[in-house]
């Protein structure tokens, strides 16, 4: 079932989205060589709970941490640990925030220190692929329009698209209908309606698109061990387009948080 959110619900989701953005900003301050990924997890946990919210991922289907941190060949769902960030690492941070019963979901990928042009382009183009997908969103468009745009952008830039994981609806559950694949055919799939809230989240690889699940039953990595990047926003569909709920907020707004 695909839920259409009321104005009141969208207001609440804006709040959850803002806190997600601010959590990412807080984590970003600490991304440097030598930091342990479990320290970043703790920073996220403290920040979210201090703001009277809850990390959506903690205990979700038994997930043991507040955020996902996936490094280099890890695509998504990396579990924070004693591992320390090092120069050249490609670090994907995925944050879920539940506030007043509504969730928000957003991911970003950072490069720690120096990296090759190829890796810099992987990260830049994965973010641009997200926006290429988002630009297709408006009432009356189809889910397949989003995936087709992401896939085309990725392939044009020599990147492959992970197909085993997809974006999703968001609301009172972190994962709701519909699925939002990062591939597909335009003009196909569910018709978008104003008030639908979607998490769009391309995971793009420098090498092959194939991935495997680690023995920890969470971490997903590329088969060929080449790096992967991940960007995600939670957005609400509107009549003429979309509104990003997890996007940047103004400085004035930050003062009041
Ligand atoms: N943002 C992730 C996703 O949509 C959620 C992580 S699931 C968790 O797939 F279990 F790791 F929390
Ligand atoms: Co998601």
């Amino acid at each position: 079932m695909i839920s259409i959110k009321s104005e009141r619900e969208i207001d609440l989701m804006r709040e959850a989205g803002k806190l997600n953005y601010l959590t990412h900003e807080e984590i970003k301050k600490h991304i440097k060589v030598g930091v342990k990924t479990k320290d970043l997890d703790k920073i996220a946990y403290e920040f979210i709970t201090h703001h009277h919210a809850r990390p959506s991922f903690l205990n979700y289907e038994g997930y043991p941490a507040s955020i996902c941190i996936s490094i280099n060949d890890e695509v998504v769902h990396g579990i924070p640990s004693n591992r320390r960030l090092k120069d050249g690492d490609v670090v994907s941070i995925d944050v879920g925030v539940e506030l007043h019963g509504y969730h928000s979901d957003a991911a970003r990928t950072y490069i720690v220190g120096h990296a090759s042009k190829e890796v810099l382009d992987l990260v830049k183009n994965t973010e641009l692929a997200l926006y290429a997908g988002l630009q297709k969103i408006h009432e009356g468009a189809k889910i397949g329009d989003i995936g087709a745009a992401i896939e085309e952008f990725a392939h044009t830039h020599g990147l492959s698209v992970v197909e085993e994981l997809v974006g999703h609806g968001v609301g009172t559950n972190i994962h709701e209908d519909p699925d939002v694949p990062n591939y597909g055919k335009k003009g196909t799939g569910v018709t978008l309606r104003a008030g639908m809230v979607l998490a769009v989240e391309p995971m793009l690889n420098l090498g092959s698109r194939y991935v495997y699940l680690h023995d920890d039953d969470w971490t997903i990595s590329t088969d060929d061990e080449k790096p992967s990047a991940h960007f995600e926003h939670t957005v609400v569909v509107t009549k003429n387009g979309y509104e990003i709920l997890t996007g940047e907020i103004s400085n004035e707004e930050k003062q009041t948080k």
Side-chain angles (χ1 to χ4, degrees):
M1 208 261 301
I2 303 175
S3 67
I4 302 291
K5 276 74 178 178
S6 66
E7 255 323 305
R8 187 195 71 89
E9 290 181 292
I10 293 167
D11 270 340
L12 294 174
M13 295 196 75
R14 275 192 194 101
E15 291 305 309
K18 271 180 203 166
L19 188 54
N20 193 307
Y21 169 81
L22 291 170
T23 306
H24 269 288
E25 290 296 289
E26 187 63 29
I27 295 166
K28 181 178 164 180
K29 293 180 196 162
H30 300 274
I31 295 191
K32 26 181 123 68
V33 171
V35 70
K36 280 185 191 172
T37 57
K38 76 173 184 202
D39 293 339
L40 297 174
D41 185 69
K42 181 153 192 290
I43 287 160
Y45 177 82
E46 299 290 337
F47 188 83
I48 292 167
T49 54
H50 176 81
H51 287 85
H52 313 290
R54 203 186 70 79
S56 305
F57 304 162
L58 185 60
N59 301 322
Y60 178 83
E61 292 182 4
Y63 185 73
S66 295
I67 60 175
C68 302
I69 306 181
S70 310
I71 304 175
N72 299 332
D73 58 311
E74 295 171 356
V75 179
V76 286
H77 302 170
I79 303 172
S81 69
N82 286 319
R83 181 169 176 175
R84 290 179 192 275
L85 300 187
K86 53 179 184 17
D87 187 60
D89 278 347
V90 177
V91 183
S92 299
I93 306 274
D94 196 343
V95 175
V97 169
E98 180 186 358
L99 182 60
H100 306 309
Y102 287 85
H103 295 266
S104 61
D105 193 359
R108 303 180 186 179
T109 299
Y110 299 98
I111 290 170
V112 181
H114 311 82
S116 64
K117 165 98 168 59
E118 193 177 47
V119 169
L120 292 169
D121 284 347
L122 163 71
V123 173
K124 182 187 77 184
N125 287 325
T126 304
E127 184 167 22
L128 291 175
L130 167 60
Y131 288 100
L134 293 180
Q135 275 164 22
K136 298 295 172 190
I137 297 179
H138 58 85
E139 172 147 278
K142 303 279 185 188
I143 282 285
D145 299 349
I146 302 171
I150 291 171
E151 185 174 37
E152 193 197 328
F153 190 93
H155 290 168
T156 301
H157 292 86
L159 302 174
S160 66
V161 178
V162 175
E163 297 187 1
E164 285 75 3
L165 299 127
V166 294
H168 49 90
V170 188
T172 52
N173 292 298
I174 184 78
H175 291 146
E176 297 187 353
D177 289 340
D179 280 355
V180 185
N182 299 302
Y183 57 89
K185 220 168 133 34
K186 70 176 178 195
T188 66
V190 168
T191 303
L192 304 184
R193 298 287 171 218
M196 286 182 183
V197 178
L198 305 174
V200 181
E201 50 176 321
M203 288 144 268
L204 303 187
N205 297 348
L206 199 52
S208 136
R209 74 171 181 82
Y210 295 102
V211 298
Y212 71 94
L213 178 66
H214 285 243
D215 289 339
D216 66 12
D217 267 348
W218 281 106
T219 314
I220 291 181
S221 287
T222 58
D223 272 356
D224 62 11
E225 300 187 335
K226 291 192 178 163
S228 184
H230 181 209
F231 281 85
E232 176 178 29
H233 272 309
T234 301
V235 308
V236 56
V237 179
T238 63
K239 232 176 172 34
N240 299 309
Y242 61 94
E243 176 187 335
I244 299 179
L245 301 179
T246 47
E248 195 168 349
I249 64 175
S250 67
N251 279 324
E252 298 89 90
E253 265 188 290
K254 285 178 199 168
Q255 309 303 323
T256 65
K257 291 280 142 192

